[in-house]
Amino acid sequence: MEIDKVYEPQRFEPHWAAWWVESNLFHVEAHPGEPYFSLVIPPPNVTGALHMGHMFEHSIIDAQVRWRRMLGANTLWLPGTDHAGISTQIMVEKQLAEEGLTKHDLGREKFEARVWEWKEKYGGRIVEQMKRAGDSLRLVAREVHPRSGAVPRRARSFRAAV
């Protein structure tokens, strides 16, 4: 068998990432009295994509989480996501500038809607990148819009974590 000279992750990662999620490998249930370990990833800013610094951090966290699982602890690794913070606002303002607009041209409500659109688009991309990288996350959605209390559409199908 000949080994390819160049690794092409796009050939393998989507399949395995989907299989890990579909197989519910990282599901956690509460068992009172048993050892447990939980950790929440500090939320990356929703600026479009994870960078090497995020992936370095995730590698260290993943090693710790997998070690705790091997020790027999009921382990929950929950991904944090940005909540349309200041870095997201800056990205949306840059996008508006490319369109020849400012946030003042839109007004508060329309600008806020654009920020949430950005967060919905790129926040989901970041979670997909975490899955493809092999992060052994418990993927749930507990995101709630801070004003309306609504749970995003993509989140409604996930079961809540323990």
Side-chain angles (χ1 to χ4, degrees), residues 15-53:
H15 165 76
W16 289 109
W19 185 80
W20 292 326
V21 172
E22 290 165 8
S23 299
N24 212 16
L25 291 180
F26 309 120
H27 178 74
V28 179
E29 292 202 24
H31 300 286
E34 291 186 11
Y36 64 89
F37 179 78
S38 64
L39 190 141
V40 177
I41 296 175
N45 294 323
V46 183
T47 53
L50 294 175
H51 54 66
M52 289 304 293

Short mmCIF file of all heavy atoms in Angstrom, two decimals, residues 15-53:
data_model
loop_
_atom_site.label_atom_id
_atom_site.label_comp_id
_atom_site.label_asym_id
_atom_site.label_seq_id
_atom_site.Cartn_x
_atom_site.Cartn_y
_atom_site.Cartn_z
N HIS A 15 -16.19 13.13 7.41
CA HIS A 15 -16.80 11.82 7.69
C HIS A 15 -16.69 11.49 9.18
O HIS A 15 -17.68 11.14 9.82
CB HIS A 15 -16.13 10.72 6.86
CG HIS A 15 -16.46 9.34 7.37
ND1 HIS A 15 -17.68 8.75 7.14
CD2 HIS A 15 -15.73 8.48 8.13
CE1 HIS A 15 -17.69 7.56 7.73
NE2 HIS A 15 -16.52 7.37 8.33
N TRP A 16 -15.47 11.58 9.73
CA TRP A 16 -15.27 11.19 11.12
C TRP A 16 -15.93 12.16 12.09
O TRP A 16 -16.48 11.75 13.11
CB TRP A 16 -13.78 11.01 11.42
CG TRP A 16 -13.28 9.78 10.74
CD1 TRP A 16 -12.44 9.71 9.67
CD2 TRP A 16 -13.66 8.44 11.04
NE1 TRP A 16 -12.26 8.40 9.30
CE2 TRP A 16 -13.00 7.59 10.12
CE3 TRP A 16 -14.50 7.85 11.98
CZ2 TRP A 16 -13.15 6.21 10.13
CZ3 TRP A 16 -14.64 6.47 11.99
CH2 TRP A 16 -13.97 5.68 11.07
N ALA A 17 -15.90 13.44 11.78
CA ALA A 17 -16.56 14.42 12.64
C ALA A 17 -18.06 14.12 12.73
O ALA A 17 -18.64 14.13 13.82
CB ALA A 17 -16.33 15.83 12.13
N ALA A 18 -18.68 13.82 11.59
CA ALA A 18 -20.11 13.48 11.58
C ALA A 18 -20.36 12.19 12.35
O ALA A 18 -21.33 12.09 13.12
CB ALA A 18 -20.61 13.37 10.14
N TRP A 19 -19.51 11.21 12.17
CA TRP A 19 -19.69 9.92 12.85
C TRP A 19 -19.61 10.08 14.36
O TRP A 19 -20.40 9.49 15.10
CB TRP A 19 -18.65 8.91 12.35
CG TRP A 19 -18.85 7.55 12.91
CD1 TRP A 19 -19.74 6.59 12.50
CD2 TRP A 19 -18.15 6.99 14.03
NE1 TRP A 19 -19.64 5.48 13.29
CE2 TRP A 19 -18.67 5.69 14.24
CE3 TRP A 19 -17.15 7.46 14.88
CZ2 TRP A 19 -18.20 4.86 15.26
CZ3 TRP A 19 -16.69 6.63 15.89
CH2 TRP A 19 -17.23 5.34 16.06
N TRP A 20 -18.63 10.88 14.85
CA TRP A 20 -18.51 11.09 16.30
C TRP A 20 -19.76 11.70 16.87
O TRP A 20 -20.23 11.30 17.93
CB TRP A 20 -17.32 11.98 16.61
CG TRP A 20 -15.98 11.39 16.33
CD1 TRP A 20 -15.62 10.07 16.46
CD2 TRP A 20 -14.82 12.06 15.87
NE1 TRP A 20 -14.31 9.90 16.09
CE2 TRP A 20 -13.79 11.11 15.72
CE3 TRP A 20 -14.54 13.38 15.55
CZ2 TRP A 20 -12.52 11.44 15.29
CZ3 TRP A 20 -13.26 13.71 15.12
CH2 TRP A 20 -12.27 12.74 15.00
N VAL A 21 -20.32 12.70 16.17
CA VAL A 21 -21.53 13.37 16.65
C VAL A 21 -22.73 12.43 16.56
O VAL A 21 -23.50 12.29 17.52
CB VAL A 21 -21.79 14.68 15.87
CG1 VAL A 21 -23.13 15.27 16.23
CG2 VAL A 21 -20.67 15.69 16.15
N GLU A 22 -22.92 11.76 15.42
CA GLU A 22 -24.05 10.85 15.23
C GLU A 22 -24.01 9.69 16.22
O GLU A 22 -25.05 9.19 16.65
CB GLU A 22 -24.08 10.32 13.80
CG GLU A 22 -24.44 11.38 12.78
CD GLU A 22 -24.10 10.96 11.34
OE1 GLU A 22 -23.73 9.79 11.12
OE2 GLU A 22 -24.20 11.84 10.47
N SER A 23 -22.82 9.24 16.57
CA SER A 23 -22.67 8.12 17.50
C SER A 23 -22.84 8.56 18.95
O SER A 23 -22.81 7.72 19.86
CB SER A 23 -21.29 7.48 17.33
OG SER A 23 -21.16 6.96 16.03
N ASN A 24 -23.00 9.87 19.16
CA ASN A 24 -23.24 10.42 20.50
C ASN A 24 -22.13 10.00 21.48
O ASN A 24 -22.39 9.67 22.63
CB ASN A 24 -24.61 9.97 21.00
CG ASN A 24 -25.24 10.99 21.89
OD1 ASN A 24 -24.83 12.14 21.93
ND2 ASN A 24 -26.25 10.57 22.64
N LEU A 25 -20.88 9.98 20.98
CA LEU A 25 -19.76 9.49 21.77
C LEU A 25 -19.47 10.31 23.02
O LEU A 25 -18.91 9.79 23.98
CB LEU A 25 -18.49 9.45 20.90
CG LEU A 25 -18.49 8.41 19.80
CD1 LEU A 25 -17.19 8.48 19.02
CD2 LEU A 25 -18.69 7.01 20.36
N PHE A 26 -19.82 11.57 22.99
CA PHE A 26 -19.43 12.43 24.10
C PHE A 26 -20.64 12.83 24.95
O PHE A 26 -20.59 13.82 25.67
CB PHE A 26 -18.69 13.66 23.56
CG PHE A 26 -17.58 13.28 22.63
CD1 PHE A 26 -17.56 13.71 21.32
CD2 PHE A 26 -16.57 12.43 23.05
CE1 PHE A 26 -16.55 13.33 20.46
CE2 PHE A 26 -15.55 12.04 22.20
CZ PHE A 26 -15.53 12.50 20.90
N HIS A 27 -21.69 12.01 24.91
CA HIS A 27 -22.88 12.24 25.71
C HIS A 27 -22.54 12.04 27.19
O HIS A 27 -21.75 11.20 27.54
CB HIS A 27 -23.99 11.27 25.29
CG HIS A 27 -25.23 11.42 26.09
ND1 HIS A 27 -26.09 12.49 25.93
CD2 HIS A 27 -25.74 10.67 27.08
CE1 HIS A 27 -27.09 12.37 26.78
NE2 HIS A 27 -26.91 11.28 27.49
N VAL A 28 -23.15 12.84 28.03
CA VAL A 28 -22.89 12.78 29.46
C VAL A 28 -24.22 12.71 30.20
O VAL A 28 -25.16 13.42 29.85
CB VAL A 28 -22.11 14.04 29.92
CG1 VAL A 28 -21.86 13.99 31.40
CG2 VAL A 28 -20.82 14.18 29.16
N GLU A 29 -24.29 11.85 31.20
CA GLU A 29 -25.47 11.81 32.07
C GLU A 29 -25.00 11.88 33.51
O GLU A 29 -23.94 11.35 33.85
CB GLU A 29 -26.25 10.51 31.83
CG GLU A 29 -26.88 10.49 30.46
CD GLU A 29 -28.05 9.53 30.38
OE1 GLU A 29 -28.64 9.23 31.43
OE2 GLU A 29 -28.35 9.09 29.28
N ALA A 30 -25.78 12.49 34.35
CA ALA A 30 -25.43 12.64 35.76
C ALA A 30 -25.58 11.31 36.48
O ALA A 30 -26.57 10.61 36.30
CB ALA A 30 -26.32 13.68 36.42
N HIS A 31 -24.57 10.96 37.26
CA HIS A 31 -24.59 9.78 38.12
C HIS A 31 -24.09 10.21 39.49
O HIS A 31 -22.88 10.22 39.74
CB HIS A 31 -23.70 8.66 37.55
CG HIS A 31 -24.11 8.20 36.20
ND1 HIS A 31 -25.22 7.41 35.98
CD2 HIS A 31 -23.58 8.43 34.98
CE1 HIS A 31 -25.34 7.17 34.69
NE2 HIS A 31 -24.36 7.78 34.05
N PRO A 32 -25.02 10.59 40.37
CA PRO A 32 -24.62 11.10 41.68
C PRO A 32 -23.67 10.14 42.41
O PRO A 32 -23.84 8.93 42.36
CB PRO A 32 -25.94 11.23 42.44
CG PRO A 32 -26.96 11.38 41.35
CD PRO A 32 -26.46 10.54 40.21
N GLY A 33 -22.65 10.72 43.02
CA GLY A 33 -21.70 9.93 43.78
C GLY A 33 -20.51 9.44 42.96
O GLY A 33 -19.53 8.99 43.53
N GLU A 34 -20.59 9.50 41.66
CA GLU A 34 -19.48 9.08 40.81
C GLU A 34 -18.57 10.28 40.52
O GLU A 34 -19.03 11.42 40.52
CB GLU A 34 -19.99 8.48 39.50
CG GLU A 34 -20.69 7.16 39.68
CD GLU A 34 -21.07 6.50 38.36
OE1 GLU A 34 -20.61 6.96 37.29
OE2 GLU A 34 -21.84 5.54 38.39
N PRO A 35 -17.29 10.00 40.24
CA PRO A 35 -16.40 11.12 39.92
C PRO A 35 -16.81 11.82 38.63
O PRO A 35 -17.30 11.17 37.71
CB PRO A 35 -15.02 10.46 39.77
CG PRO A 35 -15.27 9.01 39.60
CD PRO A 35 -16.63 8.72 40.18
N TYR A 36 -16.63 13.11 38.61
CA TYR A 36 -16.98 13.87 37.42
C TYR A 36 -15.92 14.94 37.15
O TYR A 36 -15.14 15.28 38.04
CB TYR A 36 -18.36 14.51 37.56
CG TYR A 36 -18.44 15.55 38.66
CD1 TYR A 36 -18.14 16.88 38.41
CD2 TYR A 36 -18.79 15.18 39.95
CE1 TYR A 36 -18.19 17.82 39.42
CE2 TYR A 36 -18.83 16.11 40.97
CZ TYR A 36 -18.54 17.43 40.69
OH TYR A 36 -18.57 18.37 41.69
N PHE A 37 -15.91 15.41 35.94
CA PHE A 37 -15.01 16.49 35.53
C PHE A 37 -15.73 17.28 34.46
O PHE A 37 -16.31 16.69 33.54
CB PHE A 37 -13.71 15.91 34.97
CG PHE A 37 -12.74 16.97 34.50
CD1 PHE A 37 -11.96 17.67 35.40
CD2 PHE A 37 -12.61 17.25 33.15
CE1 PHE A 37 -11.06 18.63 34.97
CE2 PHE A 37 -11.71 18.20 32.70
CZ PHE A 37 -10.94 18.90 33.62
N SER A 38 -15.75 18.59 34.59
CA SER A 38 -16.38 19.40 33.54
C SER A 38 -15.52 20.62 33.25
O SER A 38 -14.80 21.10 34.12
CB SER A 38 -17.79 19.84 33.94
OG SER A 38 -17.75 20.68 35.07
N LEU A 39 -15.62 21.08 32.02
CA LEU A 39 -14.82 22.21 31.59
C LEU A 39 -15.57 22.91 30.46
O LEU A 39 -16.16 22.25 29.60
CB LEU A 39 -13.48 21.68 31.09
CG LEU A 39 -12.40 22.70 30.81
CD1 LEU A 39 -11.07 22.14 31.26
CD2 LEU A 39 -12.34 23.02 29.35
N VAL A 40 -15.56 24.22 30.47
CA VAL A 40 -16.17 25.00 29.39
C VAL A 40 -15.04 25.71 28.66
O VAL A 40 -14.18 26.32 29.28
CB VAL A 40 -17.18 26.04 29.94
CG1 VAL A 40 -17.74 26.89 28.81
CG2 VAL A 40 -18.31 25.35 30.68
N ILE A 41 -15.06 25.61 27.34
CA ILE A 41 -14.05 26.30 26.53
C ILE A 41 -14.32 27.80 26.64
O ILE A 41 -15.45 28.24 26.45
CB ILE A 41 -14.17 25.92 25.04
CG1 ILE A 41 -13.88 24.44 24.84
CG2 ILE A 41 -13.22 26.76 24.19
CD1 ILE A 41 -14.08 24.00 23.41
N PRO A 42 -13.28 28.57 26.90
CA PRO A 42 -13.48 30.01 26.82
C PRO A 42 -13.97 30.36 25.42
O PRO A 42 -13.45 29.83 24.43
CB PRO A 42 -12.08 30.58 27.07
CG PRO A 42 -11.33 29.49 27.76
CD PRO A 42 -11.92 28.21 27.26
N PRO A 43 -14.98 31.18 25.32
CA PRO A 43 -15.57 31.42 23.99
C PRO A 43 -14.64 32.20 23.06
O PRO A 43 -14.16 33.27 23.42
CB PRO A 43 -16.83 32.23 24.29
CG PRO A 43 -16.60 32.81 25.63
CD PRO A 43 -15.68 31.90 26.36
N PRO A 44 -14.40 31.64 21.86
CA PRO A 44 -13.64 32.43 20.88
C PRO A 44 -14.52 33.55 20.34
O PRO A 44 -15.73 33.43 20.28
CB PRO A 44 -13.32 31.41 19.78
CG PRO A 44 -14.37 30.36 19.92
CD PRO A 44 -14.79 30.34 21.36
N ASN A 45 -13.91 34.64 19.98
CA ASN A 45 -14.66 35.73 19.37
C ASN A 45 -15.16 35.28 17.99
O ASN A 45 -14.49 34.54 17.29
CB ASN A 45 -13.78 36.97 19.20
CG ASN A 45 -13.40 37.55 20.54
OD1 ASN A 45 -14.19 37.56 21.47
ND2 ASN A 45 -12.18 38.03 20.65
N VAL A 46 -16.33 35.74 17.62
CA VAL A 46 -16.92 35.34 16.36
C VAL A 46 -16.42 36.28 15.26
O VAL A 46 -17.14 37.14 14.77
CB VAL A 46 -18.47 35.36 16.43
CG1 VAL A 46 -19.07 34.87 15.13
CG2 VAL A 46 -18.95 34.48 17.57
N THR A 47 -15.16 36.11 14.92
CA THR A 47 -14.56 36.95 13.90
C THR A 47 -14.45 36.23 12.57
O THR A 47 -13.85 36.73 11.64
CB THR A 47 -13.17 37.44 14.35
OG1 THR A 47 -12.40 36.30 14.73
CG2 THR A 47 -13.30 38.40 15.51
N GLY A 48 -14.99 35.05 12.46
CA GLY A 48 -15.02 34.34 11.19
C GLY A 48 -14.50 32.93 11.25
O GLY A 48 -15.06 32.04 10.66
N ALA A 49 -13.38 32.69 11.94
CA ALA A 49 -12.79 31.36 11.97
C ALA A 49 -11.85 31.23 13.16
O ALA A 49 -11.32 32.21 13.67
CB ALA A 49 -12.02 31.12 10.67
N LEU A 50 -11.65 29.98 13.57
CA LEU A 50 -10.67 29.73 14.60
C LEU A 50 -9.28 29.92 14.02
O LEU A 50 -9.05 29.68 12.84
CB LEU A 50 -10.81 28.29 15.11
CG LEU A 50 -12.10 27.96 15.85
CD1 LEU A 50 -12.13 26.47 16.19
CD2 LEU A 50 -12.24 28.79 17.11
N HIS A 51 -8.33 30.32 14.87
CA HIS A 51 -6.96 30.46 14.41
C HIS A 51 -6.08 29.48 15.19
O HIS A 51 -6.55 28.73 16.05
CB HIS A 51 -6.47 31.91 14.54
CG HIS A 51 -6.62 32.49 15.91
ND1 HIS A 51 -5.91 32.03 17.01
CD2 HIS A 51 -7.40 33.49 16.37
CE1 HIS A 51 -6.23 32.73 18.08
NE2 HIS A 51 -7.14 33.62 17.72
N MET A 52 -4.81 29.46 14.88
CA MET A 52 -3.88 28.50 15.48
C MET A 52 -3.84 28.61 17.01
O MET A 52 -3.69 27.61 17.69
CB MET A 52 -2.48 28.68 14.89
CG MET A 52 -2.37 28.22 13.45
SD MET A 52 -2.88 26.50 13.20
CE MET A 52 -1.61 25.65 14.10
N GLY A 53 -3.99 29.81 17.53
CA GLY A 53 -4.01 29.97 18.98
C GLY A 53 -5.17 29.23 19.62
O GLY A 53 -5.02 28.56 20.65
#
